[in-house]
Amino acid sequence: MTSLQTYFNRSQSLEQYIEQMKDNKENLLSIYKSFSPPTNDERIKQLQQTNYSKVLVITEDWCGDAMMNLPILKQISEVLNLEVKVFHRDDDTNLIDQYLTNGKSRSIPIFVFMNDSYEQITVWGPRAKEVQTFVTELRNDKLPSKDHPDYDDKVKETHLLISNRFKTDSSFWKAVYNSIITKLLYK
């Protein structure tokens, strides 16, 4: 099995990844510019005393969750001085298969937080609990059964509603921030 260090070393820096993005670059940068971590968050001071040093992100450019979560991670990594590298999920599915959501889904993004020795300390992703609740409820409300003739159109409509909310809802951004910080503190 390929080590986390090998995957990390094969990956792009977060800046390189953002620069080459085609699908969600503008939205990601807009969220990054619009969100700032709280300046008086005592949890940040606690985390600055820990041995987190690296984050391996597993993602793809087309992913709406990544569009919202990566700018929040970028803000956190800047405050905590974490080196962030991005691995494209579909380049080698052996990596994502180690982090399946609910034991079966290759959901992204996944953030693998490591120490200087490339040892995994904790993993976060793909969504904050509040965001997952919204997505689940929206899908339950909007989507007919898969055999319904309008199913494909309703899926597209639902994805658009989710994406628009991710782009504009600062309460979601705060939920992602709090979820990541809590995960880092309590592993």
Side-chain angles (χ1 to χ4, degrees):
M1 184 182 329
T2 307
S3 72
L4 286 174
Q5 180 175 359
T6 300
Y7 281 114
F8 191 85
N9 290 335
R10 285 186 198 160
S11 299
Q12 297 174 288
S13 71
L14 182 55
E15 291 73 23
Q16 290 170 324
Y17 173 78
I18 292 170
E19 185 58 36
Q20 61 82 45
M21 287 179 75
K22 292 178 177 34
D23 295 332
N24 282 311
K25 182 178 182 176
E26 287 179 31
N27 293 321
L28 183 148
L29 291 173
S30 175
I31 294 168
Y32 175 76
K33 290 173 187 164
S34 299
F35 175 81
S36 295
T39 55
N40 58 350
D41 189 344
E42 290 296 320
R43 301 172 301 171
I44 292 294
K45 290 181 179 128
Q46 286 178 262
L47 287 169
Q48 288 170 330
Q49 306 305 312
T50 64
N51 61 348
Y52 292 108
S53 65
K54 300 171 185 354
V55 187
L56 179 59
V57 174
I58 308 166
T59 195
E60 290 289 342
D61 181 6
W62 48 259
C63 176
D65 287 293
M67 170 194 69
M68 178 174 65
N69 296 335
L70 278 172
I72 309 306
L73 174 68
K74 183 169 172 37
Q75 291 279 0
I76 292 169
S77 69
E78 290 167 356
V79 171
L80 295 178
N81 197 30
L82 303 175
E83 182 182 6
V84 182
K85 295 276 194 101
V86 178
F87 187 83
H88 294 261
R89 179 193 71 176
D90 298 340
D91 286 354
D92 179 349
T93 55
N94 289 317
L95 179 59
I96 191 64
D97 287 349
Q98 298 173 50
Y99 301 99
L100 297 176
T101 301
N102 299 324
K104 61 183 178 183
S105 299
R106 291 177 173 162
S107 301
I108 51 178
I110 298 294
F111 302 159
V112 182
F113 292 89
M114 298 178 283
N115 61 21
D116 283 332
S117 300
Y118 300 92
E119 296 167 326
Q120 176 181 306
I121 301 172
T122 195
V123 177
W124 184 92
R127 290 187 179 124
K129 183 177 74 172
E130 298 87 340
V131 176
Q132 182 61 51
T133 299
F134 162 75
V135 170
T136 300
E137 289 175 358
L138 185 66
R139 285 181 177 159
N140 289 341
D141 290 345
K142 297 280 184 192
L143 294 181
S145 64
K146 288 186 178 184
D147 59 352
H148 192 280
D150 293 337
Y151 179 78
D152 289 339
D153 290 337
K154 291 292 184 184
V155 166
K156 288 177 188 171
E157 179 183 310
T158 302
H159 283 163
L160 185 60
L161 289 169
I162 292 169
S163 178
N164 287 337
R165 185 85 180 264
F166 285 4
K167 293 174 202 175
T168 59
D169 192 335
S170 64
S171 71
F172 278 3
W173 309 340
K174 290 174 188 166
V176 170
Y177 171 81
N178 284 319
S179 178
I180 293 171
I181 296 297
T182 299
K183 185 69 169 185
L184 291 175
L185 281 172
Y186 303 109
K187 300 169 190 68

